């Protein structure tokens, strides 16, 4: 084997057409703890952590056996049981007749990058939570006090200054509207009912809020939804739904949007489907942060995230989260 492959800073595996390992380079051993002999003749699935939905590997295998290159990320397990993340490119190698004879996988350990992504998102989450609480408990309470004082002022001036009464009543209206706005903003920043009552309740109240505030009609369907074992998953799924819904409101010009949340066996499926103008490939590269944070969030909980045109032309955002068996 060429020394470029031997000394490569990335893991390299070559398998036969059935997926059995014929070669692994020293970096692979360094990352996974498996010696080349340990894995010779074995399928790379020995690295599987058990997190990814079954369909994930099926799709991968379908793509590479049809002669295409697959690119993506794995959540894998080392020989000593520790989990790690890899970014991988897997290409089929064909003989002159075009038959696939081998697969080449080039993989990079991205666990550290993931860790800093996670920290960044945790910081955003904590900042939002803090701001949400401060708005609700600070500004919200302050405004409630002002509304109360203004209301009692109405009673006082009614007799002596009837002309002023109207103005003060208008002031009360304004303050009450501001209170509603503050509450809505703080609810978005910090959905208090998420931790207590779970994803289904939080999504339901977000959808009801959208129905009250925006011209788009938001439907929701829940099927067999249980509390998730990991609270972080609930937060990230909620934020994904929230960003998808915000995008529908901001960009889609949709009449309807539907949120579906279901659990079938160990797969949690979240879909946000709108009937708007539809998201094009090029739009996804727009300057916004929302989609990329959504993708980061999905990756953090080892879920897959798909954003595409749906069959009716609107936008479909789909997040699939595999729960570990036995939980
Ligand atoms: N449901 C949708 N329908 C139509 N276009 C969409 C939809 N969702 C996203 N887009 C398009 O994709 C782009 C990128 O979305 P993204 O959420 O990343 O950014 P943004 O919403 O523009 O900004 P930010 O999320 O940072 O506030 C949007 O600018 C918009 O053009
Ligand atoms: Mg957005």
């Amino acid at each position: 084997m060429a020394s470029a492959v031997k000394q490569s800073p990335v893991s390299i595996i070559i398998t036969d057409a059935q997926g059995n390992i014929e070669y692994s380079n020293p970096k692979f051993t360094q990352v996974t703890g498996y010696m080349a002999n340990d894995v010779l003749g074995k399928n790379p699935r020995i690295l599987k952590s058990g997190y990814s939905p079954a369909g994930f590997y099926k799709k991968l295998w379908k793509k590479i056996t049809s002669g295409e290159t697959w690119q993506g990320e794995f959540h894998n397990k080392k020989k000593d049981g520790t989990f790690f993340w890899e970014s991988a490119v897997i290409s089929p190698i064909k003989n002159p007749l075009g038959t696939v004879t081998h697969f080449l996988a080039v993989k990079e350990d991205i666990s550290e990058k993931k860790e800093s992504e996670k920290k960044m998102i945790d910081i955003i989450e904590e900042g939002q939570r803090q701001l949400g609480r401060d708005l609700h408990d600070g500004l919200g309470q302050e405004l409630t006090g002002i509304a109360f004082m203004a209301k009692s002022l109405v009673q006082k001036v009614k007799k002596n200054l009837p002309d002023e009464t109207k103005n003060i009543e208008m002031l009360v209206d304004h303050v009450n509207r501001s209170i509603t706005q503050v509450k809505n903003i703080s609810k978005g920043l910090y959905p208090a009912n998420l931790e207590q009552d779970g994803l289904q309740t939080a999504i339901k109240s977000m959808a009801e809020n959208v129905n009250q505030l925006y011209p788009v009609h938001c439907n929701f369907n829940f099927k067999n939804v249980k509390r998730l074992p990991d609270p972080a998953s609930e937060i990230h799924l909620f934020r994904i739904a929230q960003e998808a819904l915000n995008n529908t409101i901001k960009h889609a010009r949709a009449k309807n949007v539907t949120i579906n949340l279901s659990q079938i066996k160990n797969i949690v499926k979240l879909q946000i489907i709108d009937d708007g103008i539809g998201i094009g490939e090029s739009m996804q590269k727009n300057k916004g942060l929302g989609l990329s944070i959504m993708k980061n969030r999905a990756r953090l909980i080892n879920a897959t995230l798909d954003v595409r045109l749906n069959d009716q032309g609107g936008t479909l955002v789909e997040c699939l989260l595999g729960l570990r068996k036995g939980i």
Side-chain angles (χ1 to χ4, degrees):
M1 195 54 64
S3 59
V5 171
K6 267 196 186 148
Q7 290 161 26
S8 164
V10 291
S11 297
I12 294 173
I13 298 181
I14 297 172
T15 75
D16 63 18
Q18 279 70 48
N20 300 316
I21 298 175
E22 286 191 353
Y23 172 81
S24 60
N25 74 342
K27 183 69 186 180
F28 170 85
T29 300
Q30 194 194 325
V31 172
T32 63
Y34 286 108
M35 302 301 292
N37 270 342
D38 292 340
V39 295
L40 193 67
K42 300 225 169 90
N43 189 293
R45 79 166 73 95
I46 53 163
L47 297 173
K48 261 167 69 168
S49 68
Y51 267 105
S52 302
F56 175 84
Y57 293 98
K58 267 192 205 143
K59 270 193 205 159
L60 184 172
W61 188 244
K62 201 170 155 202
K63 186 150 192 184
I64 58 175
T65 47
S66 71
E68 284 180 66
T69 293
W70 181 90
Q71 191 164 6
E73 290 177 1
F74 292 116
H75 186 255
N76 278 341
K77 198 160 81 174
K78 301 186 184 194
K79 191 178 180 183
D80 68 7
T82 31
F83 294 118
F84 69 112
W85 279 94
E86 286 190 304
S87 164
V89 180
I90 306 178
S91 305
I93 301 171
K94 297 174 192 168
N95 68 12
L97 296 172
T99 316
V100 174
T101 59
H102 293 84
F103 296 108
L104 169 71
V106 179
K107 309 194 286 177
E108 187 189 0
D109 184 350
I110 52 163
S111 305
E112 269 177 34
K113 198 175 126 214
K114 285 269 169 207
E115 200 43 44
S116 42
E117 264 176 16
K118 181 174 178 318
K119 277 194 191 127
M120 186 195 81
I121 288 181
D122 281 349
I123 290 169
I124 296 177
E125 200 62 55
E126 188 45 43
Q128 289 199 351
R129 184 187 291 242
Q130 192 64 42
L131 188 60
R133 275 197 200 131
D134 287 353
L135 270 180
H136 186 271
D137 302 347
L139 188 58
Q141 303 297 10
E142 193 84 8
L143 287 172
T144 308
I146 295 173
F148 183 76
M149 277 158 64
K151 241 189 217 161
S152 43
L153 209 56
V154 172
Q155 303 305 325
K156 280 184 195 153
V157 300
K158 230 178 198 167
K159 271 191 212 144
N160 307 331
L161 299 165
D163 293 347
E164 291 304 317
T165 311
K166 245 203 190 117
N167 286 336
I168 304 178
E169 275 171 349
M170 266 166 60
L171 179 77
V172 174
D173 269 359
H174 277 304
V175 178
N176 280 334
R177 250 176 288 150
S178 306
I179 292 173
T180 310
Q181 277 183 23
V182 167
K183 281 197 179 149
N184 282 332
I185 296 171
S186 73
K187 229 192 262 174
L189 287 167
Y190 173 56
N193 56 4
L194 179 60
E195 274 169 32
Q196 217 185 329
D197 304 325
L199 197 52
Q200 173 163 333
T201 310
I203 287 183
K204 189 164 167 257
S205 91
M206 175 167 68
E208 285 166 350
N209 218 24
V210 167
N211 282 332
Q212 273 180 13
L213 296 174
Y214 301 98
V216 53
H217 184 71
C218 185
N219 311 288
F220 44 85
N221 304 302
F222 301 111
K223 203 168 140 195
N224 194 24
V225 183
K226 304 183 198 90
R227 291 297 306 256
L228 299 180
D230 173 18
S233 303
E234 294 197 321
I235 295 174
H236 292 310
L237 287 180
F238 178 82
R239 295 292 186 204
I240 288 169
Q242 187 181 38
E243 173 60 22
L245 208 51
N246 280 338
N247 279 348
T248 295
I249 293 163
K250 273 204 294 190
H251 309 295
R253 283 180 250 146
K255 286 202 179 76
N256 297 286
V257 56
T258 304
I259 306 177
N260 296 321
L261 180 66
S262 63
Q263 185 177 336
I264 298 165
K265 289 192 182 154
N266 67 330
I267 307 283
V268 177
K269 178 153 92 175
L270 170 70
Q271 290 180 318
I272 299 90
I273 306 165
D274 71 45
D275 60 357
I277 57 169
I279 186 164
E281 289 264 322
S282 62
M283 287 174 173
Q284 298 198 26
K285 298 192 178 70
N286 284 2
K287 62 280 149 212
L289 275 180
L291 285 178
S292 57
I293 294 183
M294 239 197 255
K295 284 180 185 157
N296 284 345
R297 286 184 186 279
R299 271 192 278 162
L300 281 180
I301 53 173
N302 196 32
T304 57
L305 187 87
D306 227 357
V307 181
R308 58 172 194 267
L309 287 177
N310 69 21
D311 299 341
Q312 282 76 42
T315 299
L316 165 77
V317 175
E318 182 177 83
C319 184
L320 297 179
L321 168 71
L323 301 175
R324 249 193 312 172
K325 289 185 191 80
I327 293 182

